[in-house]
Amino acid sequence: MPEETYTVAILGATGAVGTELLELLQERRFPIKSLKLLASARSAGKHLSFRGQPVTVEALSQSALEDVDIVLASAGASVSREWAEVAIAAGAVVIDNSSAFRMDSDVPLIVPEVNPEVAANHRGLIANPNCTTILMSLALWPLHQVQPIRRVVVATYQSASGAGARAMAEVKEQAAAMLADQPPPTEIFPYPLAFNLFPHNSPLTEQGYCQEEMKMVNETRKIFNQPDLRVTATCIRVPVLRAHSEAVNLEFDTPFEPERARSILAQAPGVKLLEDWQANYFPMPFEASGQDDVLVGRIRQDLSHPCGLELWLSGDQIRKGAALNAVQIAELLVAKRWLATAVAA
Amino acid sequence: MPEETYTVAILGATGAVGTELLELLQERRFPIKSLKLLASARSAGKHLSFRGQPVTVEALSQSALEDVDIVLASAGASVSREWAEVAIAAGAVVIDNSSAFRMDSDVPLIVPEVNPEVAANHRGLIANPNCTTILMSLALWPLHQVQPIRRVVVATYQSASGAGARAMAEVKEQAAAMLADQPPPTEIFPYPLAFNLFPHNSPLTEQGYCQEEMKMVNETRKIFNQPDLRVTATCIRVPVLRAHSEAVNLEFDTPFEPERARSILAQAPGVKLLEDWQANYFPMPFEASGQDDVLVGRIRQDLSHPCGLELWLSGDQIRKGAALNAVQIAELLVAKRWLATAVAA
């Protein structure tokens, strides 16, 4: 019996995540009958390559969303808010990489290694979590299964890619300018990022946390289905191109042996343990970039808390932090035959 | 009565901290009778400028340390171990920027804004704390005075300057190479730092903490004279040139109102509160570089702990993190007439 194939649309095909989605569908041999690359009118007419064939980028429109089985949306929250319903009404399942619907109670928020079963209950829309949340959840979930995590104190080191392809280019332009003693251009970021760093520039909430930090708090709770999980985060942008890193302090009710955490994480899906204590060689963005797995290491007993554990991770923000997780959700829907749920709903 | 003046020697005069010491002595009009610039034989014969006059760098030797009142040592731990005793025997007070003697029980470890009175008890040697410790202690001490801090969870963002002037140059060379698609040179650092970051490459202890992290744990306890203060640290090198930043999570026994912390820190010596919530403008290395004060901001009630407080700081690693603190210790000794203690000992 021939494998079933699907019409897939990438919404935001020319962006940093869109480009990666295209590569991943190809690399992972996603069963595609037809691929549509959708973007703003500005990008329409561009040609991208898929399986050696040129594909023309189309402007996003209602007709472009007809007869699509799966929409991988990565064009920002406002585009998703405007078009997700249109795509669903036309019969598609939307896997949305934006923050638009993540915290809606009837929208599954999925990391396939953590809560795949929740994806079965979708109503045509599945949300892809925020990058920092996905990366952290891969390292924390296997530990949480063995001994519940009570509190998370995380500080992030977030790359320019989180603000898109133009932001990555801007950091390089800034570095070149500064090396030539010229003032750095700042169009995307509010402040120079090359040779500098600053708190994540997402809007601040009343409590003083920025939205990026609240995503880590709220999304982790939702994915883990543990509304009382205590999480605090400090999110910082650093002059790195495409991988995020995180310093994570965990508290449990009873001590968690580092050696035990190590052996659990060595076998955890989506995780690669990277610890060479002799060489002082641990996860770093250069190693994580382009890798599917989140790199985890420097697992230590917290000297300040008898039930504390310290760990350090780096993961490709564009790949597992965004595009790969979305493609894995699509693969899950296909493998479990959960695409139909939307039609039945 | 004319002001008393002193013969001061800078040991390691051509390094990043040495250069800054020279500038600070000039800028702060330290009462100098005679200035000696000492360095390795390799640098001897170089000319540096002090108060508009050229000063020749001399090779470090026993005779060069004769008749010196104050030695500001910044040539690394092994040089300090070899020469501190010689300088003290010759009648000088040594203010040592290295880690060689910091944890010795009979050596005062001083941050002038925190524990100046301890400096009175020196026996010819006073240790300057590690950069990350100095910067953090300025922000924490005023809070600790009002309500004792019970636990500190800190993640650092440390600039290249911590590894010296050549390391700063290397990061720029790496960035230039990478922008030209060339492999980055790595002579000082074990891995490329430009557009990358990695856990601090100081030797690892048995507990899995690197020495840099243990300095934050042990030195903070010593400076605060609170051996039971619980501290954990994750120290990360980032591609920034000369200011360090720190994400600090604090726990108290009872809630600490952010507004109260803010008003305390707004008046704290050596601290500048920098919080523009509307503009998302907070401490960052670009603002901290060249400033005497450590910039503190993003003071938030910790959402994960009823008695927790989050704060964020950036401070010039070469200046307050090293050279300025050493010069302030010298100023303290002069002002309090504590130089004599060494002679009396």
Side-chain angles (χ1 to χ4, degrees), chain A residues 132 136 140 151-157 213 216-217 220 231-236 245-250 311 313, chain B residues 153 155 157 247 249 300 304 310:
Chain A
T132 47
M136 186 169 77
L140 268 47
R151 184 175 176 228
V152 181
V153 179
V154 57
T156 71
Y157 302 69
E213 291 162 348
M216 293 195 84
V217 174
T220 305
V231 182
T232 180
T234 299
C235 290
I236 306 294
S245 304
E246 303 179 17
V248 189
N249 181 282
L250 299 174
L311 58 84
L313 64 88
Chain B
V153 179
Y157 301 66
N249 182 283
R300 295 172 282 159
S304 76
E310 291 269 21

PDB file of all heavy atoms in Angstrom, chain A residues 132 136 140 151-157 213 216-217 220 231-236 245-250 311 313, chain B residues 153 155 157 247 249 300 304 310:
ATOM      1  N   THR A 132      12.734  28.829  24.230  1.00  0.00           N
ATOM      2  CA  THR A 132      13.414  28.592  25.508  1.00  0.00           C
ATOM      3  C   THR A 132      12.676  27.533  26.328  1.00  0.00           C
ATOM      4  O   THR A 132      13.290  26.748  27.039  1.00  0.00           O
ATOM      5  CB  THR A 132      13.485  29.884  26.343  1.00  0.00           C
ATOM      6  OG1 THR A 132      12.204  30.501  26.330  1.00  0.00           O
ATOM      7  CG2 THR A 132      14.490  30.846  25.766  1.00  0.00           C
ATOM      8  N   MET A 136      14.239  23.802  27.445  1.00  0.00           N
ATOM      9  CA  MET A 136      14.307  23.467  28.865  1.00  0.00           C
ATOM     10  C   MET A 136      13.469  22.231  29.185  1.00  0.00           C
ATOM     11  O   MET A 136      13.882  21.371  29.968  1.00  0.00           O
ATOM     12  CB  MET A 136      13.859  24.660  29.712  1.00  0.00           C
ATOM     13  CG  MET A 136      14.042  24.426  31.211  1.00  0.00           C
ATOM     14  SD  MET A 136      13.828  25.931  32.205  1.00  0.00           S
ATOM     15  CE  MET A 136      12.047  26.097  32.224  1.00  0.00           C
ATOM     16  N   LEU A 140      14.201  18.832  31.490  1.00  0.00           N
ATOM     17  CA  LEU A 140      13.557  18.733  32.797  1.00  0.00           C
ATOM     18  C   LEU A 140      12.552  17.588  32.895  1.00  0.00           C
ATOM     19  O   LEU A 140      12.409  16.961  33.958  1.00  0.00           O
ATOM     20  CB  LEU A 140      12.857  20.064  33.131  1.00  0.00           C
ATOM     21  CG  LEU A 140      13.685  21.069  33.926  1.00  0.00           C
ATOM     22  CD1 LEU A 140      15.077  21.235  33.360  1.00  0.00           C
ATOM     23  CD2 LEU A 140      12.978  22.404  34.037  1.00  0.00           C
ATOM     24  N   ARG A 151      10.708  23.603  41.953  1.00  0.00           N
ATOM     25  CA  ARG A 151      11.011  24.998  41.617  1.00  0.00           C
ATOM     26  C   ARG A 151      12.122  25.047  40.581  1.00  0.00           C
ATOM     27  O   ARG A 151      13.055  24.252  40.632  1.00  0.00           O
ATOM     28  CB  ARG A 151      11.431  25.754  42.887  1.00  0.00           C
ATOM     29  CG  ARG A 151      11.685  27.238  42.669  1.00  0.00           C
ATOM     30  CD  ARG A 151      11.983  27.939  43.993  1.00  0.00           C
ATOM     31  NE  ARG A 151      12.309  29.331  43.785  1.00  0.00           N
ATOM     32  CZ  ARG A 151      13.362  29.957  44.331  1.00  0.00           C
ATOM     33  NH1 ARG A 151      14.180  29.305  45.132  1.00  0.00           N
ATOM     34  NH2 ARG A 151      13.596  31.228  44.082  1.00  0.00           N
ATOM     35  N   VAL A 152      11.988  26.001  39.658  1.00  0.00           N
ATOM     36  CA  VAL A 152      12.979  26.215  38.600  1.00  0.00           C
ATOM     37  C   VAL A 152      13.410  27.675  38.641  1.00  0.00           C
ATOM     38  O   VAL A 152      12.569  28.570  38.606  1.00  0.00           O
ATOM     39  CB  VAL A 152      12.371  25.916  37.206  1.00  0.00           C
ATOM     40  CG1 VAL A 152      13.423  26.108  36.115  1.00  0.00           C
ATOM     41  CG2 VAL A 152      11.766  24.514  37.149  1.00  0.00           C
ATOM     42  N   VAL A 153      14.720  27.906  38.739  1.00  0.00           N
ATOM     43  CA  VAL A 153      15.272  29.261  38.594  1.00  0.00           C
ATOM     44  C   VAL A 153      16.174  29.218  37.365  1.00  0.00           C
ATOM     45  O   VAL A 153      17.199  28.550  37.369  1.00  0.00           O
ATOM     46  CB  VAL A 153      16.094  29.685  39.836  1.00  0.00           C
ATOM     47  CG1 VAL A 153      16.667  31.094  39.636  1.00  0.00           C
ATOM     48  CG2 VAL A 153      15.244  29.627  41.101  1.00  0.00           C
ATOM     49  N   VAL A 154      15.745  29.890  36.307  1.00  0.00           N
ATOM     50  CA  VAL A 154      16.503  29.798  35.055  1.00  0.00           C
ATOM     51  C   VAL A 154      16.957  31.177  34.585  1.00  0.00           C
ATOM     52  O   VAL A 154      16.233  32.171  34.726  1.00  0.00           O
ATOM     53  CB  VAL A 154      15.678  29.070  33.963  1.00  0.00           C
ATOM     54  CG1 VAL A 154      14.345  29.746  33.695  1.00  0.00           C
ATOM     55  CG2 VAL A 154      16.461  28.950  32.659  1.00  0.00           C
ATOM     56  N   ALA A 155      18.178  31.226  34.059  1.00  0.00           N
ATOM     57  CA  ALA A 155      18.702  32.425  33.394  1.00  0.00           C
ATOM     58  C   ALA A 155      19.072  32.005  31.977  1.00  0.00           C
ATOM     59  O   ALA A 155      19.734  30.985  31.792  1.00  0.00           O
ATOM     60  CB  ALA A 155      19.923  32.968  34.130  1.00  0.00           C
ATOM     61  N   THR A 156      18.606  32.767  30.988  1.00  0.00           N
ATOM     62  CA  THR A 156      18.849  32.376  29.604  1.00  0.00           C
ATOM     63  C   THR A 156      19.912  33.240  28.932  1.00  0.00           C
ATOM     64  O   THR A 156      20.182  34.363  29.362  1.00  0.00           O
ATOM     65  CB  THR A 156      17.566  32.468  28.747  1.00  0.00           C
ATOM     66  OG1 THR A 156      17.228  33.851  28.552  1.00  0.00           O
ATOM     67  CG2 THR A 156      16.408  31.743  29.397  1.00  0.00           C
ATOM     68  N   TYR A 157      20.474  32.676  27.900  1.00  0.00           N
ATOM     69  CA  TYR A 157      21.474  33.323  27.057  1.00  0.00           C
ATOM     70  C   TYR A 157      20.953  33.131  25.638  1.00  0.00           C
ATOM     71  O   TYR A 157      21.243  32.136  24.993  1.00  0.00           O
ATOM     72  CB  TYR A 157      22.832  32.636  27.248  1.00  0.00           C
ATOM     73  CG  TYR A 157      23.342  32.643  28.680  1.00  0.00           C
ATOM     74  CD1 TYR A 157      22.720  31.903  29.682  1.00  0.00           C
ATOM     75  CD2 TYR A 157      24.460  33.387  29.035  1.00  0.00           C
ATOM     76  CE1 TYR A 157      23.193  31.911  30.992  1.00  0.00           C
ATOM     77  CE2 TYR A 157      24.944  33.398  30.344  1.00  0.00           C
ATOM     78  CZ  TYR A 157      24.297  32.658  31.313  1.00  0.00           C
ATOM     79  OH  TYR A 157      24.762  32.674  32.617  1.00  0.00           O
ATOM     80  N   GLU A 213       9.877  35.899  29.544  1.00  0.00           N
ATOM     81  CA  GLU A 213      10.037  35.200  30.827  1.00  0.00           C
ATOM     82  C   GLU A 213       8.724  34.534  31.254  1.00  0.00           C
ATOM     83  O   GLU A 213       8.720  33.394  31.750  1.00  0.00           O
ATOM     84  CB  GLU A 213      10.528  36.188  31.893  1.00  0.00           C
ATOM     85  CG  GLU A 213      11.959  36.641  31.647  1.00  0.00           C
ATOM     86  CD  GLU A 213      12.381  37.913  32.369  1.00  0.00           C
ATOM     87  OE1 GLU A 213      11.503  38.624  32.909  1.00  0.00           O
ATOM     88  OE2 GLU A 213      13.588  38.208  32.366  1.00  0.00           O
ATOM     89  N   MET A 216       8.137  31.225  29.666  1.00  0.00           N
ATOM     90  CA  MET A 216       8.828  30.106  30.310  1.00  0.00           C
ATOM     91  C   MET A 216       8.052  29.631  31.538  1.00  0.00           C
ATOM     92  O   MET A 216       7.963  28.427  31.803  1.00  0.00           O
ATOM     93  CB  MET A 216      10.254  30.499  30.712  1.00  0.00           C
ATOM     94  CG  MET A 216      11.149  30.768  29.520  1.00  0.00           C
ATOM     95  SD  MET A 216      12.917  30.815  29.952  1.00  0.00           S
ATOM     96  CE  MET A 216      13.319  29.065  29.915  1.00  0.00           C
ATOM     97  N   VAL A 217       7.503  30.574  32.283  1.00  0.00           N
ATOM     98  CA  VAL A 217       6.732  30.229  33.479  1.00  0.00           C
ATOM     99  C   VAL A 217       5.450  29.486  33.084  1.00  0.00           C
ATOM    100  O   VAL A 217       5.200  28.352  33.515  1.00  0.00           O
ATOM    101  CB  VAL A 217       6.368  31.503  34.277  1.00  0.00           C
ATOM    102  CG1 VAL A 217       5.444  31.165  35.449  1.00  0.00           C
ATOM    103  CG2 VAL A 217       7.626  32.234  34.751  1.00  0.00           C
ATOM    104  N   THR A 220       5.736  26.174  30.501  1.00  0.00           N
ATOM    105  CA  THR A 220       6.287  24.979  31.147  1.00  0.00           C
ATOM    106  C   THR A 220       5.216  24.323  32.016  1.00  0.00           C
ATOM    107  O   THR A 220       5.045  23.098  32.002  1.00  0.00           O
ATOM    108  CB  THR A 220       7.531  25.343  31.998  1.00  0.00           C
ATOM    109  OG1 THR A 220       8.462  26.018  31.159  1.00  0.00           O
ATOM    110  CG2 THR A 220       8.187  24.099  32.574  1.00  0.00           C
ATOM    111  N   VAL A 231       8.215  28.531  38.843  1.00  0.00           N
ATOM    112  CA  VAL A 231       9.253  28.853  37.857  1.00  0.00           C
ATOM    113  C   VAL A 231       9.541  30.351  37.904  1.00  0.00           C
ATOM    114  O   VAL A 231       8.616  31.159  37.933  1.00  0.00           O
ATOM    115  CB  VAL A 231       8.796  28.493  36.417  1.00  0.00           C
ATOM    116  CG1 VAL A 231       9.912  28.789  35.402  1.00  0.00           C
ATOM    117  CG2 VAL A 231       8.354  27.037  36.316  1.00  0.00           C
ATOM    118  N   THR A 232      10.824  30.701  37.929  1.00  0.00           N
ATOM    119  CA  THR A 232      11.190  32.097  37.697  1.00  0.00           C
ATOM    120  C   THR A 232      12.275  32.125  36.631  1.00  0.00           C
ATOM    121  O   THR A 232      13.078  31.192  36.533  1.00  0.00           O
ATOM    122  CB  THR A 232      11.644  32.819  38.983  1.00  0.00           C
ATOM    123  OG1 THR A 232      11.971  34.190  38.651  1.00  0.00           O
ATOM    124  CG2 THR A 232      12.859  32.178  39.605  1.00  0.00           C
ATOM    125  N   ALA A 233      12.268  33.153  35.814  1.00  0.00           N
ATOM    126  CA  ALA A 233      13.185  33.218  34.677  1.00  0.00           C
ATOM    127  C   ALA A 233      13.728  34.627  34.496  1.00  0.00           C
ATOM    128  O   ALA A 233      13.034  35.607  34.742  1.00  0.00           O
ATOM    129  CB  ALA A 233      12.465  32.787  33.400  1.00  0.00           C
ATOM    130  N   THR A 234      14.985  34.699  34.082  1.00  0.00           N
ATOM    131  CA  THR A 234      15.581  35.951  33.623  1.00  0.00           C
ATOM    132  C   THR A 234      16.068  35.696  32.202  1.00  0.00           C
ATOM    133  O   THR A 234      16.923  34.831  31.987  1.00  0.00           O
ATOM    134  CB  THR A 234      16.771  36.355  34.524  1.00  0.00           C
ATOM    135  OG1 THR A 234      16.288  36.539  35.860  1.00  0.00           O
ATOM    136  CG2 THR A 234      17.405  37.648  34.034  1.00  0.00           C
ATOM    137  N   CYS A 235      15.474  36.407  31.252  1.00  0.00           N
ATOM    138  CA  CYS A 235      15.789  36.163  29.840  1.00  0.00           C
ATOM    139  C   CYS A 235      16.672  37.275  29.289  1.00  0.00           C
ATOM    140  O   CYS A 235      16.292  38.446  29.317  1.00  0.00           O
ATOM    141  CB  CYS A 235      14.510  36.033  29.017  1.00  0.00           C
ATOM    142  SG  CYS A 235      13.615  34.505  29.370  1.00  0.00           S
ATOM    143  N   ILE A 236      17.823  36.885  28.788  1.00  0.00           N
ATOM    144  CA  ILE A 236      18.832  37.834  28.318  1.00  0.00           C
ATOM    145  C   ILE A 236      19.215  37.510  26.873  1.00  0.00           C
ATOM    146  O   ILE A 236      19.431  36.355  26.531  1.00  0.00           O
ATOM    147  CB  ILE A 236      20.093  37.751  29.220  1.00  0.00           C
ATOM    148  CG1 ILE A 236      19.722  37.942  30.711  1.00  0.00           C
ATOM    149  CG2 ILE A 236      21.152  38.750  28.765  1.00  0.00           C
ATOM    150  CD1 ILE A 236      19.193  39.297  31.078  1.00  0.00           C
ATOM    151  N   SER A 245      21.172  29.220  25.168  1.00  0.00           N
ATOM    152  CA  SER A 245      21.691  28.462  26.301  1.00  0.00           C
ATOM    153  C   SER A 245      20.916  28.846  27.553  1.00  0.00           C
ATOM    154  O   SER A 245      20.313  29.917  27.602  1.00  0.00           O
ATOM    155  CB  SER A 245      23.184  28.738  26.493  1.00  0.00           C
ATOM    156  OG  SER A 245      23.899  28.453  25.308  1.00  0.00           O
ATOM    157  N   GLU A 246      20.929  27.959  28.549  1.00  0.00           N
ATOM    158  CA  GLU A 246      20.175  28.231  29.771  1.00  0.00           C
ATOM    159  C   GLU A 246      20.916  27.657  30.984  1.00  0.00           C
ATOM    160  O   GLU A 246      21.372  26.510  30.942  1.00  0.00           O
ATOM    161  CB  GLU A 246      18.770  27.592  29.675  1.00  0.00           C
ATOM    162  CG  GLU A 246      17.995  28.078  28.453  1.00  0.00           C
ATOM    163  CD  GLU A 246      16.594  27.435  28.307  1.00  0.00           C
ATOM    164  OE1 GLU A 246      16.086  26.874  29.291  1.00  0.00           O
ATOM    165  OE2 GLU A 246      16.038  27.522  27.195  1.00  0.00           O
ATOM    166  N   ALA A 247      21.029  28.469  32.022  1.00  0.00           N
ATOM    167  CA  ALA A 247      21.553  28.006  33.307  1.00  0.00           C
ATOM    168  C   ALA A 247      20.339  27.715  34.176  1.00  0.00           C
ATOM    169  O   ALA A 247      19.563  28.621  34.491  1.00  0.00           O
ATOM    170  CB  ALA A 247      22.432  29.074  33.952  1.00  0.00           C
ATOM    171  N   VAL A 248      20.156  26.440  34.535  1.00  0.00           N
ATOM    172  CA  VAL A 248      18.929  26.015  35.207  1.00  0.00           C
ATOM    173  C   VAL A 248      19.234  25.483  36.603  1.00  0.00           C
ATOM    174  O   VAL A 248      20.048  24.583  36.761  1.00  0.00           O
ATOM    175  CB  VAL A 248      18.205  24.911  34.393  1.00  0.00           C
ATOM    176  CG1 VAL A 248      16.826  24.642  34.981  1.00  0.00           C
ATOM    177  CG2 VAL A 248      18.105  25.289  32.919  1.00  0.00           C
ATOM    178  N   ASN A 249      18.578  26.061  37.594  1.00  0.00           N
ATOM    179  CA  ASN A 249      18.681  25.593  38.973  1.00  0.00           C
ATOM    180  C   ASN A 249      17.358  24.941  39.348  1.00  0.00           C
ATOM    181  O   ASN A 249      16.296  25.562  39.220  1.00  0.00           O
ATOM    182  CB  ASN A 249      18.991  26.783  39.893  1.00  0.00           C
ATOM    183  CG  ASN A 249      19.140  26.365  41.335  1.00  0.00           C
ATOM    184  OD1 ASN A 249      18.160  26.127  42.033  1.00  0.00           O
ATOM    185  ND2 ASN A 249      20.383  26.238  41.784  1.00  0.00           N
ATOM    186  N   LEU A 250      17.431  23.693  39.785  1.00  0.00           N
ATOM    187  CA  LEU A 250      16.212  22.932  40.089  1.00  0.00           C
ATOM    188  C   LEU A 250      16.135  22.595  41.572  1.00  0.00           C
ATOM    189  O   LEU A 250      17.163  22.327  42.193  1.00  0.00           O
ATOM    190  CB  LEU A 250      16.214  21.609  39.307  1.00  0.00           C
ATOM    191  CG  LEU A 250      16.247  21.719  37.788  1.00  0.00           C
ATOM    192  CD1 LEU A 250      16.387  20.329  37.177  1.00  0.00           C
ATOM    193  CD2 LEU A 250      14.983  22.412  37.283  1.00  0.00           C
ATOM    194  N   LEU A 311      22.042  22.553  36.245  1.00  0.00           N
ATOM    195  CA  LEU A 311      22.438  22.045  34.936  1.00  0.00           C
ATOM    196  C   LEU A 311      22.504  23.170  33.921  1.00  0.00           C
ATOM    197  O   LEU A 311      21.994  24.270  34.151  1.00  0.00           O
ATOM    198  CB  LEU A 311      21.555  20.881  34.471  1.00  0.00           C
ATOM    199  CG  LEU A 311      20.053  21.063  34.328  1.00  0.00           C
ATOM    200  CD1 LEU A 311      19.719  21.667  32.976  1.00  0.00           C
ATOM    201  CD2 LEU A 311      19.374  19.695  34.447  1.00  0.00           C
ATOM    202  N   LEU A 313      22.432  23.999  29.574  1.00  0.00           N
ATOM    203  CA  LEU A 313      22.055  23.439  28.278  1.00  0.00           C
ATOM    204  C   LEU A 313      22.203  24.462  27.150  1.00  0.00           C
ATOM    205  O   LEU A 313      22.151  25.673  27.371  1.00  0.00           O
ATOM    206  CB  LEU A 313      20.621  22.901  28.332  1.00  0.00           C
ATOM    207  CG  LEU A 313      19.477  23.884  28.589  1.00  0.00           C
ATOM    208  CD1 LEU A 313      18.958  24.496  27.295  1.00  0.00           C
ATOM    209  CD2 LEU A 313      18.327  23.150  29.282  1.00  0.00           C
TER     210      LEU A 313
ATOM    211  N   VAL B 153      21.299  32.483  44.168  1.00  0.00           N
ATOM    212  CA  VAL B 153      21.479  31.669  42.958  1.00  0.00           C
ATOM    213  C   VAL B 153      21.855  32.656  41.854  1.00  0.00           C
ATOM    214  O   VAL B 153      21.035  33.484  41.455  1.00  0.00           O
ATOM    215  CB  VAL B 153      20.196  30.908  42.567  1.00  0.00           C
ATOM    216  CG1 VAL B 153      20.427  30.099  41.285  1.00  0.00           C
ATOM    217  CG2 VAL B 153      19.734  30.000  43.702  1.00  0.00           C
ATOM    218  N   ALA B 155      23.741  33.512  38.021  1.00  0.00           N
ATOM    219  CA  ALA B 155      24.298  33.105  36.725  1.00  0.00           C
ATOM    220  C   ALA B 155      25.007  34.320  36.155  1.00  0.00           C
ATOM    221  O   ALA B 155      24.449  35.417  36.148  1.00  0.00           O
ATOM    222  CB  ALA B 155      23.190  32.642  35.780  1.00  0.00           C
ATOM    223  N   TYR B 157      27.444  36.478  33.239  1.00  0.00           N
ATOM    224  CA  TYR B 157      27.673  36.746  31.818  1.00  0.00           C
ATOM    225  C   TYR B 157      28.990  37.513  31.775  1.00  0.00           C
ATOM    226  O   TYR B 157      28.996  38.742  31.858  1.00  0.00           O
ATOM    227  CB  TYR B 157      26.516  37.579  31.256  1.00  0.00           C
ATOM    228  CG  TYR B 157      25.139  36.936  31.387  1.00  0.00           C
ATOM    229  CD1 TYR B 157      24.555  36.728  32.634  1.00  0.00           C
ATOM    230  CD2 TYR B 157      24.433  36.524  30.261  1.00  0.00           C
ATOM    231  CE1 TYR B 157      23.309  36.135  32.753  1.00  0.00           C
ATOM    232  CE2 TYR B 157      23.180  35.926  30.370  1.00  0.00           C
ATOM    233  CZ  TYR B 157      22.618  35.735  31.624  1.00  0.00           C
ATOM    234  OH  TYR B 157      21.385  35.141  31.747  1.00  0.00           O
ATOM    235  N   ALA B 247      22.754  37.639  36.649  1.00  0.00           N
ATOM    236  CA  ALA B 247      21.343  37.444  36.996  1.00  0.00           C
ATOM    237  C   ALA B 247      21.320  36.832  38.382  1.00  0.00           C
ATOM    238  O   ALA B 247      21.816  35.721  38.573  1.00  0.00           O
ATOM    239  CB  ALA B 247      20.668  36.519  35.989  1.00  0.00           C
ATOM    240  N   ASN B 249      19.312  35.716  41.868  1.00  0.00           N
ATOM    241  CA  ASN B 249      18.086  35.346  42.565  1.00  0.00           C
ATOM    242  C   ASN B 249      18.391  35.244  44.054  1.00  0.00           C
ATOM    243  O   ASN B 249      19.295  34.506  44.458  1.00  0.00           O
ATOM    244  CB  ASN B 249      17.565  34.007  42.015  1.00  0.00           C
ATOM    245  CG  ASN B 249      16.264  33.590  42.663  1.00  0.00           C
ATOM    246  OD1 ASN B 249      16.249  33.105  43.794  1.00  0.00           O
ATOM    247  ND2 ASN B 249      15.169  33.785  41.963  1.00  0.00           N
ATOM    248  N   ARG B 300      12.692  42.578  40.814  1.00  0.00           N
ATOM    249  CA  ARG B 300      11.356  41.979  40.721  1.00  0.00           C
ATOM    250  C   ARG B 300      11.093  41.058  41.899  1.00  0.00           C
ATOM    251  O   ARG B 300      12.008  40.384  42.371  1.00  0.00           O
ATOM    252  CB  ARG B 300      11.264  41.084  39.466  1.00  0.00           C
ATOM    253  CG  ARG B 300      11.372  41.755  38.149  1.00  0.00           C
ATOM    254  CD  ARG B 300      11.464  40.686  37.046  1.00  0.00           C
ATOM    255  NE  ARG B 300      12.791  40.103  36.950  1.00  0.00           N
ATOM    256  CZ  ARG B 300      13.078  38.925  36.388  1.00  0.00           C
ATOM    257  NH1 ARG B 300      12.108  38.153  35.917  1.00  0.00           N
ATOM    258  NH2 ARG B 300      14.318  38.477  36.316  1.00  0.00           N
ATOM    259  N   SER B 304       8.381  32.658  41.920  1.00  0.00           N
ATOM    260  CA  SER B 304       8.478  31.249  42.330  1.00  0.00           C
ATOM    261  C   SER B 304       8.728  31.091  43.822  1.00  0.00           C
ATOM    262  O   SER B 304       8.830  29.965  44.316  1.00  0.00           O
ATOM    263  CB  SER B 304       9.612  30.569  41.555  1.00  0.00           C
ATOM    264  OG  SER B 304      10.886  30.934  42.069  1.00  0.00           O
ATOM    265  N   GLU B 310      14.418  39.003  42.514  1.00  0.00           N
ATOM    266  CA  GLU B 310      15.289  38.874  41.345  1.00  0.00           C
ATOM    267  C   GLU B 310      15.926  40.224  41.081  1.00  0.00           C
ATOM    268  O   GLU B 310      15.256  41.262  41.176  1.00  0.00           O
ATOM    269  CB  GLU B 310      14.467  38.488  40.105  1.00  0.00           C
ATOM    270  CG  GLU B 310      13.880  37.095  40.113  1.00  0.00           C
ATOM    271  CD  GLU B 310      14.804  36.058  39.489  1.00  0.00           C
ATOM    272  OE1 GLU B 310      16.027  36.305  39.407  1.00  0.00           O
ATOM    273  OE2 GLU B 310      14.299  35.002  39.091  1.00  0.00           O
TER     274      GLU B 310
END
